[in-house]
């Protein structure tokens, strides 16, 4: 007779971690509804590489406000988009990716419209999104989680993935897609889409504060006791 498997121990680690992060950084409210349209989230994700979210948010609002629609953005000359996205870290790349993505979306759907994803299974919807130029697992998850679709999927940026690797919660050399596949089964089943969103944003703050790419401040990190790298630093 096979005994039932117990809960993944990583799940309890994540449950214990969340209140520590909230205590340190405070609660993070979800974006206002006008910034939760799936198409808005898509544009923000495509242009946001290596750029602070606040800057990408403003650039997305400005771009859609100037052109009036996603379709008009897709039709805009590339050099205009490059100038419009001058606040981004890589404006030329951001413009090229955005134009390619929105042009392909219009070819598939007739408009910059993602409403058909509402009726789809989450994984199927993410697979569909990842067919668009420049859309990988991070942006696809962001569209499904941070928008009005409200799906319980985890967004993994470089900060978040790095922390999970150092904590020992995902394989050390996992790319975003593999890290996503590894951590999703361990996510607390009671967490809502909003909990997932807040967790990602809090983990991003950890990566910006203590768990930086080239330096570690384990002694001051609230996650130290729950982290393989943090515990090893005290040995």
């Amino acid at each position: 007779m096979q005994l039932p498997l117990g809960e993944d121990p990583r799940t309890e680690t994540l449950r214990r971690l969340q209140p520590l992060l909230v205590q340190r950084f405070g609660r993070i409210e979800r974006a206002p509804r006008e910034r939760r349209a799936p198409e808005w989230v898509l544009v923000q994700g495509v242009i946001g590489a290596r750029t602070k979210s606040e800057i990408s948010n403003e650039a997305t609002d400005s771009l859609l406000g100037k052109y009036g629609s996603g379709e008009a953005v897709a039709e805009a000359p590339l050099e205009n988009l490059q100038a419009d996205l001058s606040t981004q870290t890589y404006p030329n790349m951001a413009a090229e990716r955005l134009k390619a993505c929105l042009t392909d979306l219009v070819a598939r759907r007739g408009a910059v419209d993602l409403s058909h994803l509402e009726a789809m299974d989450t994984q199927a919807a993410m697979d569909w999104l990842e067919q668009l130029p420049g859309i990988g697992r991070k942006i696809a998850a962001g569209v499904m989680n941070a928008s009005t679709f409200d799906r319980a999927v985890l967004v993994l940026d470089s900060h978040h993935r790095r922390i999970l690797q150092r904590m020992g919660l995902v394989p050390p050399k996992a790319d975003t897609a593999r890290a996503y596949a590894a951590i999703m089964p361990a996510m607390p089943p009671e967490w809502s889409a909003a909990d997932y969103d807040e967790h990602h944003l809090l983990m991003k703050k950890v990566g910006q504060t203590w768990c930086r790419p080239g330096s570690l401040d384990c002694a001051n990190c609230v996650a130290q006791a729950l982290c393989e790298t943090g515990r090893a630093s005290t040995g």
Side-chain angles (χ1 to χ4, degrees):
M1 177 179 176
Q2 186 176 9
L3 296 175
L5 296 176
E7 185 175 71
D8 189 324
R10 298 176 300 164
T11 305
E12 184 59 26
T13 296
L14 292 167
R15 286 195 184 108
R16 292 172 60 194
L17 175 61
Q18 189 75 342
L20 297 176
L21 300 181
V22 170
Q23 183 177 28
R24 172 59 177 81
F25 295 111
R27 302 306 300 261
I28 299 179
E29 294 185 5
R30 303 205 84 180
R33 191 167 184 84
E34 58 268 21
R35 287 183 171 176
R36 296 191 63 220
E39 298 81 11
W40 190 99
V41 178
L42 179 72
V43 171
Q44 196 272 358
V46 171
I47 69 172
R50 304 292 181 182
T51 304
K52 290 183 178 179
S53 296
E54 296 82 1
I55 295 174
S56 296
N57 291 347
E58 292 297 330
T60 302
D61 286 339
S62 176
L63 196 67
L64 294 174
K66 174 181 177 178
Y67 290 98
S69 70
E71 296 80 32
V73 174
E75 294 173 359
L78 180 60
E79 57 270 22
N80 290 12
L81 294 179
Q82 291 170 341
D84 293 329
L85 295 175
S86 61
T87 58
Q88 301 306 106
T89 302
Y90 302 113
N92 291 352
M93 181 181 72
E96 291 170 4
R97 288 184 174 179
L98 182 61
K99 188 171 180 65
C101 177
L102 296 185
T103 298
D104 192 68
L105 179 54
V106 171
R108 291 170 184 268
R109 294 278 298 153
V112 176
D113 173 29
L114 297 175
S115 60
H116 67 296
L117 301 180
E118 182 71 59
M120 293 174 66
D121 169 83
T122 299
Q123 187 57 57
M126 290 174 64
D127 290 343
W128 191 94
L129 284 164
E130 289 176 29
Q131 296 177 47
L132 298 173
I135 305 302
R137 183 53 49 91
K138 174 193 169 185
I139 296 175
V143 170
M144 298 311 297
N145 172 254
S147 78
T148 52
F149 290 144
D150 275 325
R151 304 295 177 88
V153 294
L154 190 64
V155 179
L156 290 179
D157 63 6
S158 57
H159 288 296
H160 198 158
R161 188 179 75 245
R162 180 175 67 253
I163 297 162
L164 292 177
Q165 289 168 338
R166 288 173 173 172
M167 290 185 72
L169 299 181
V170 302
K173 295 184 179 180
D175 61 13
T176 299
R178 188 176 172 210
Y180 176 90
I183 196 62
M184 278 298 293
M187 297 300 292
E190 70 275 11
W191 282 13
S192 67
D195 293 327
Y196 273 71
D197 193 8
E198 183 175 45
H199 178 69
H200 165 65
L201 295 172
L202 289 168
M203 289 287 269
K204 190 171 183 177
K205 287 182 177 292
V206 173
Q208 295 167 337
T209 306
W210 303 297
C211 200
R212 299 178 67 82
S215 63
L216 293 167
D217 185 12
C218 297
N220 290 309
C221 180
V222 297
Q224 182 180 20
L226 300 173
C227 173
E228 285 185 0
T229 303
R231 291 193 297 269
S233 72
T234 65

